[in-house]
């Protein structure tokens, strides 16, 4: 490597503006690597982190979604998650978290997403720990040993890969491990942000007979339709009764076989229970941060005899599956068209756009 300093966006204080800071770039750790982050995605979770809605250490380089080029490999043999050898100059993506492998969820329950000691880039690796460059909102990131790294999908635009960089693996976990989409099912997806679009796109690929996307604002639904995601698009602006009626009409009065909550709004859960058919399933993905309580009618669960299932985060295996499916996803859906790119220096503008909902997916570039 030639440059030994790099820039990164730092969360120094909750609720305060983020700062662009300069860091020294260390030697690659043994078993790890230095990656030049060409792309760092902004996730809705990052808004919550900036506002202090989750207990995380500060100061912290943000960014848990990334795509970049290996600049330096540490001592030892390096292979990606599929076993392919890695070399400097390879384009890669990496899993945001490393599970400890020793706590009860890891060791006994086969649930590494529930690891009690999970270390996550851009979330709980403060600048006071190690190199400091431990988030993807930077021109370089230090990836530690144990990180799941996978070669980027050949022929896929990096912006297309970044469109669902966190949402895609999250949905892979939900639909592979928790409740799959079955051939011929009618699927309702609540939420038209990246997680909702990922759920709808994967439902298409899984063989759903019809995918109904419920969300808003209208511009987001139009963008989803333009990208080829969703068969029916229902705007929540019409109110809950109108949404229920439109879903009823679209499903022939029966309701959906599977409803997937990706809205992140607690009130969506009560509505979602009423959109499933009797004997159907309700899969909750979007309530990642604690946005508070909501009122719901438990009779809807019993009367409809629903399976209600939650799904939390993802592992390196789920990221690997997302990357493997990217050529198919990108060929069928206009993923790159979902992304708005901002230079690293325009992080404040990008965050404001995400908060306002004026962009579908913001990605910082360097």
């Amino acid at each position: 490597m030639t440059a030994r300093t790099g820039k990164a966006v730092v969360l120094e204080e909750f609720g305060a503006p983020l700062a662009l800071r300069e860091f020294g770039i260390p030697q690659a750790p043994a078993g790890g690597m230095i990656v030049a982050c060409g792309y760092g995605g902004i996730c809705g979770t990052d808004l919550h982190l900036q506002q202090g809605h989750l207990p995380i250490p500060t100061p912290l380089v943000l960014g848990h979604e990334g795509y970049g080029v290996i600049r330096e490999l540490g001592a030892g043999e390096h292979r990606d998650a599929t076993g392919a050898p890695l070399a400097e100059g390879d384009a890669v993506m990496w899993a945001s978290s490393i599970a400890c492998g020793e706590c009860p969820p890891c060791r006994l329950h086969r649930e590494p997403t529930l690891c009690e000691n999970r270390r996550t880039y851009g979330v709980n690796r403060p600048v006071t720990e190690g190199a400091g460059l431990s988030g993807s909102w930077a021109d370089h990131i230090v990836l530690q040993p144990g990180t799941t790294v996978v070669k980027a999908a050949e022929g896929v635009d990096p912006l297309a890969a970044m469109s669902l960089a966190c949402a895609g693996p999250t949905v892979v976990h939900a639909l592979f491990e928790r409740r799959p989409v079955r051939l011929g099912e009618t699927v309702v997806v609540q939420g038209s942000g990246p997680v909702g679009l990922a759920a709808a796109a994967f439902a298409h690929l899984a063989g759903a007979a019809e995918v109904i996307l419920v969300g808003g604002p209208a511009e987001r639904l139009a963008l989803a339709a333009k990208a080829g995601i969703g068969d029916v698009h229902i705007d929540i602006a019409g109110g809950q009764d109108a949404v229920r009626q439109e879903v009823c009409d679209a499903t022939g009065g029966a309701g959906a076989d599977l409803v997937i909550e990706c809205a992140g709004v607690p009130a969506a859960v009560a509505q979602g229970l009423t959109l499933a058919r009797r004997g159907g399933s309700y899969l909750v993905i979007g309530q990642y941060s604690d946005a508070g309580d909501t009122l719901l009618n438990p009779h809807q669960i019993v009367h409809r005899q629903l399976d209600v299932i939650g799904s939390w985060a993802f592992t390196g295996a789920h990221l690997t599956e997302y990357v493997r499916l990217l050529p198919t996803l990108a060929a069928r859906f206009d993923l790159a068209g979902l992304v708005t790119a901002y230079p690293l220096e325009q992080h404040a503008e990008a965050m404001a756009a995400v908060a306002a909902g004026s962009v579908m997916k913001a990605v910082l570039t360097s």
Side-chain angles (χ1 to χ4, degrees), residues 27-346:
Q27 298 295 318
M33 63 189 71
I34 306 294
V35 174
C37 285
Y39 307 88
I42 298 180
C43 175
T45 301
D46 293 312
L47 300 180
H48 294 290
L49 297 180
Q50 195 264 343
Q51 292 300 319
H53 296 164
L54 293 171
I56 61 170
T58 57
L60 173 81
V61 176
L62 288 172
H64 57 274
E65 313 172 10
Y67 182 116
V69 174
I70 297 174
R71 291 304 186 208
E72 182 179 322
L73 292 169
E77 183 182 27
H78 292 271
R79 295 184 178 274
D80 81 347
T82 70
L86 291 171
E88 294 178 7
D90 285 342
V92 295
M93 299 183 76
W94 54 92
S96 54
S97 296
I98 303 175
C100 72
E102 297 178 355
C103 67
C106 287
R107 189 179 69 252
L108 300 176
H109 305 150
R110 300 179 300 282
E111 290 285 2
T113 59
L114 303 181
C115 174
E116 296 172 357
N117 306 301
R118 202 165 60 136
R119 304 308 313 280
T120 303
Y121 296 107
V123 176
N124 62 5
R125 291 180 175 272
V127 300
T128 53
E129 177 185 286
L133 288 171
S134 295
S136 63
W137 294 8
D139 53 22
H140 290 82
I141 185 172
V142 181
L143 297 184
Q144 300 296 330
T147 304
T148 298
V149 177
V150 60
K151 283 187 177 181
E154 290 188 13
V156 175
D157 185 334
L159 290 180
M162 287 302 299
S163 66
L164 306 173
C166 179
T170 297
V171 172
V172 169
H173 173 221
L175 296 186
F176 188 85
E177 311 282 357
R178 305 298 292 154
R179 202 306 193 165
V181 173
R182 297 169 184 140
L183 289 173
E185 285 192 319
T186 296
V187 177
V188 166
V189 176
Q190 294 177 281
S192 52
V195 177
L197 266 57
F202 276 116
H204 283 301
L205 293 189
E210 185 174 46
V211 178
I212 302 166
L213 189 62
V214 178
E219 292 79 10
R220 282 196 168 197
L221 292 174
L223 188 59
K226 183 179 178 181
I229 300 174
D231 299 305
V232 178
H233 303 82
I234 299 175
D235 196 332
I236 58 173
Q240 291 195 17
D241 291 342
V243 168
R244 275 193 291 270
Q245 187 59 53
E246 289 190 61
V247 170
C248 182
D249 294 342
T251 59
D257 299 293
L258 171 63
V259 180
I260 308 175
E261 185 281 316
C262 304
V265 179
V269 176
Q271 182 188 62
L273 295 174
T274 69
L275 303 181
R277 68 167 172 83
R278 297 190 75 183
S281 298
Y282 190 42
L283 176 60
V284 182
I285 305 176
Q287 306 295 320
Y288 194 81
S289 62
D290 187 348
D293 298 332
T294 190
L295 291 174
L296 58 82
N297 183 350
H299 171 68
Q300 294 294 337
I301 300 173
V302 175
H303 170 69
R304 295 172 190 271
Q305 195 168 291
L306 297 181
D307 292 325
V308 180
I309 305 143
S311 185
W312 175 262
F314 64 90
T315 68
H318 304 121
L319 171 72
T320 303
E321 187 68 10
Y322 168 68
V323 174
R324 190 183 72 82
L325 289 171
L326 264 174
T328 301
L329 285 165
R332 179 163 178 178
F333 309 110
D334 180 16
L335 299 184
L338 304 175
V339 175
T340 303
Y342 296 84
L344 201 60
E345 292 77 10
Q346 294 181 13

